[in-house]
């Protein structure tokens, strides 16, 4: 019995693709698309400075976590955020929701403004 062909998946959220063409862009890990599906989480075309700011924010979070001598696993347990999500936030490949930023700031005992710059 033959297996059905694999469906193309949106690399942003690993769900079956809605059929929209997804382009690679700088940085290479940022997927850009024009998906209109409400289930697809492919980021819309954003200005380049947003990716730079996102990376800077992730660097600040990583630095503060490292100074507190916390591993990602321990930090994930402290915040209640999935470790894989933290792995996407720190390099800037994911936009953290406001509630996650609040949890991160609370766990690191820093004001939110220190995280967002």
């Amino acid at each position: 019995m033959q297996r059905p062909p694999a469906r193309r998946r949106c690399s942003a959220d690993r769900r079956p693709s809605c059929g929209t063409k997804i382009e690679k862009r700088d940085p290479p890990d940022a997927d850009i698309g024009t998906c209109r599906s409400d289930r697809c989480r492919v980021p819309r075309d954003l200005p380049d400075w947003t990716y730079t700011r996102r990376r800077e924010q992730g660097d600040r979070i990583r630095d503060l976590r490292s100074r507190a001598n916390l591993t990602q696993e321990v930090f994930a347990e402290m915040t209640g955020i999935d470790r894989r999500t933290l792995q996407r936030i720190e390099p800037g490949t994911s936009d953290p929701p406001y509630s996650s930023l609040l949890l991160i700031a609370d766990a690191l005992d820093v004001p939110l403004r220190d995280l967002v710059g």
Side-chain angles (χ1 to χ4, degrees):
M1 191 169 180
Q2 282 188 331
R3 295 173 71 181
R7 292 183 66 184
R8 190 174 70 110
R9 293 188 178 272
C10 170
S11 60
D13 65 0
R14 304 290 185 231
R15 293 185 182 171
S17 174
C18 62
T20 301
K21 181 180 179 190
I22 298 171
E23 302 171 20
K24 284 292 188 183
R25 190 171 156 145
D26 188 37
D29 53 358
D31 291 310
I32 303 300
T34 55
C35 179
R36 299 287 184 247
S37 169
D38 53 328
R39 287 191 54 196
C40 187
R41 294 183 185 174
V42 177
R44 306 305 185 261
D45 198 6
L46 298 173
D48 291 337
W49 62 267
T50 60
Y51 299 110
T52 303
R53 285 267 183 87
R54 200 162 63 186
R55 280 192 298 269
E56 290 169 355
Q57 180 182 38
D59 289 342
R60 279 191 295 274
I61 292 170
R62 183 184 307 115
D63 290 342
L64 289 167
R65 177 184 59 78
S66 296
R67 285 186 204 154
N69 292 322
L70 298 171
T71 64
Q72 282 184 340
E73 192 169 313
V74 170
F75 189 54
E77 290 176 14
M78 288 175 63
T79 59
I81 298 171
D82 185 59
R83 183 181 56 87
R84 185 67 184 124
T85 301
L86 287 173
Q87 288 175 335
R88 290 184 194 114
I89 291 172
E90 287 186 356
T93 57
S94 174
D95 279 325
Y98 181 72
S99 57
S100 293
L101 290 174
L102 289 173
L103 292 169
I104 291 169
D106 184 57
L108 293 171
D109 198 29
V110 297
L112 181 61
R113 68 178 169 267
D114 289 352
L115 289 183
V116 296

